[in-house]
Amino acid sequence: MDATKLKALGLAVIETETAALDALRERIDEHFVAACRLMLECHGRVVVLGMGKSGHIGGKIAATLASTGTPAFFVHPGEASHGDLGMITPKDVVLAISNSGETQELLTILPIIKRLEVPLIALTGNPASTLARAANTHIDVGVDREACPLGLAPTSSTTATLAMGDALAIAMLEVRGFTAEDFALSHPGGSLGRRLLLRIDDIMHTGDTIPQVRSHAPITETLHEMTRKGLGMTAVLDDQDRVIGIFTDGDLRRAVDHNVDLHNTDVASLMTPDCITIQPGLLAAEALAIMDSRKINALLIVDEGQHLVGALGMHDLLRAGVV
């Protein structure tokens, strides 16, 4: 089969599923609003149920809800019939997914859900189905046809269901006032969590690991301190331990270019005065932004009195996964 035919087949799938998504616009209606209100009023968790491909979609919806401020988890309907129904409490809301609305494993546990008086939201492709009629509110996610040419493999229907789940989750996020910082708290191991949670205090060099010399130190002593601490720079302090400048590898190269006597020249005459400093508590991502904008590779951290409390290099941010 040639490339043109393969591209045409792939495009046909995208067009079919796009049409299924477009049809959902009219289903963001009073039933959608009712589902949102049930979840907002829930004092427990949203319990998502689904079998087969609907189960896979349900797992993703539960994960999205949970990571965007709506506590949720997925329960396999087959396992629910053998003990996992105990995970559902009267304080919860059940979100049941079934394209046909007649999935036997869901209908088997439906009487127990009703007996517990747990609010039920149904996502089906059949508003006349048993599940849809039993629900407190039903959202129609039906599609005209599947993208599968045999009309068998769930394709357009699962895409539509996933999109509706995203719509519910993001509506909840907005109403709850969920922030990027809230999102990071549930993603501490990811790059987003590191960018939004990690502070310079967690990774900066402190105490004896900070490169520092007095303003009257000769360049040779300064180079020894830079080599020993390995940050490619050193803070320059006055007699009250206040930062008055920084001496970097770049300053050294410029000194060598001008044939400066490194043995008889003090660092104060070659340092970069009034260097950029930051204070403790800053997000590591903010420190990175400062480095990028000012085209520098290190920062000195000072307190309100300009006393040196830490040092941070680009490699520290790289090791922490911020970059």
Side-chain angles (χ1 to χ4, degrees):
M1 185 175 292
D2 63 22
T4 301
K5 179 63 174 178
L6 290 171
K7 290 178 182 178
L9 291 171
L11 183 60
V13 172
I14 300 301
E15 290 175 344
T16 300
E17 297 201 3
T18 298
L21 291 175
D22 284 339
L24 292 182
R25 296 176 187 273
E26 297 179 358
R27 288 108 181 251
I28 305 296
D29 53 17
E30 68 275 11
H31 302 292
F32 179 87
V33 172
C36 289
R37 285 179 174 159
L38 284 174
M39 290 192 285
L40 284 169
E41 295 166 1
C42 176
H43 295 291
R45 288 171 167 75
V46 176
V47 183
V48 185
L49 305 173
M51 283 294 295
K53 300 297 187 294
S54 292
H56 295 309
I57 296 300
K60 167 58 170 64
I61 291 174
T64 300
L65 286 167
S67 68
T68 53
T70 300
F73 62 92
F74 176 79
V75 173
H76 191 286
E79 298 296 336
S81 296
H82 297 276
D84 283 2
L85 264 178
M87 300 169 73
I88 303 174
T89 74
K91 293 183 177 182
D92 298 328
V93 169
V94 168
L95 175 61
I97 304 170
S98 169
N99 188 40
S100 68
E102 302 293 345
T103 303
Q104 190 57 49
E105 291 85 352
L106 284 173
L107 300 186
T108 297
I109 62 176
L110 188 56
I112 308 301
I113 293 172
K114 303 302 287 185
R115 187 180 305 167
L116 289 171
E117 297 184 347
V118 176
L120 174 63
I121 303 167
L123 266 62
T124 84
N126 182 5
S129 65
T130 302
L131 183 60
R133 288 184 284 108
N136 295 77
T137 188
H138 168 257
I139 300 177
D140 182 6
V141 289
V143 298
D144 289 337
R145 64 190 179 95
E146 298 287 4
C148 168
L150 302 176
L152 298 175
T155 44
S156 300
S157 59
T158 49
T159 298
T161 303
L162 182 59
M164 187 60 76
D166 286 343
L168 289 167
I170 300 308
M172 295 295 96
L173 177 152
E174 291 282 354
V175 172
R176 295 182 192 278
F178 195 77
T179 66
E181 287 73 21
D182 294 324
F183 188 86
L185 288 173
S186 61
H187 297 75
S191 60
L192 176 66
R194 286 192 291 274
R195 290 200 304 274
L196 294 178
L197 296 177
L198 190 68
R199 298 192 179 274
I200 59 172
D201 309 55
D202 301 317
I203 57 175
M204 70 183 186
H205 299 263
T206 59
D208 291 338
T209 65
I210 307 173
Q212 52 190 290
V213 294
R214 298 291 180 186
S215 58
H216 51 73
I219 296 299
T220 49
E221 179 184 326
T222 301
L223 293 180
H224 176 72
E225 177 72 355
M226 292 170 63
T227 302
R228 195 161 60 90
K229 302 296 175 64
L231 287 181
M233 61 86 184
T234 182
V236 182
L237 311 180
D238 65 13
D239 292 335
Q240 284 75 46
D241 293 332
R242 291 175 302 203
V243 174
I244 58 171
I246 189 172
F247 185 81
T248 68
D249 287 337
D251 294 317
L252 174 62
R253 287 193 295 272
R254 284 185 286 274
V256 172
D257 285 342
H258 289 84
N259 297 313
V260 172
D261 183 355
L262 302 182
H263 293 279
N264 297 306
T265 304
D266 61 47
V267 68
S269 61
L270 297 176
M271 70 180 184
T272 300
D274 302 319
C275 60
I276 301 165
T277 60
I278 56 177
Q279 292 192 340
L282 196 71
L283 288 171
E286 294 177 295
L288 174 62
I290 293 171
M291 288 186 189
D292 284 340
S293 65
R294 304 303 289 266
K295 294 181 171 52
I296 56 178
N297 293 314
L299 284 166
L300 299 177
I301 297 90
V302 299
D303 63 17
E304 293 180 355
Q306 283 297 106
H307 298 101
L308 184 66
V309 296
L312 183 71
M314 183 64 75
H315 284 96
D316 300 315
L317 295 172
L318 283 167
R319 280 192 294 269
V322 178
V323 180

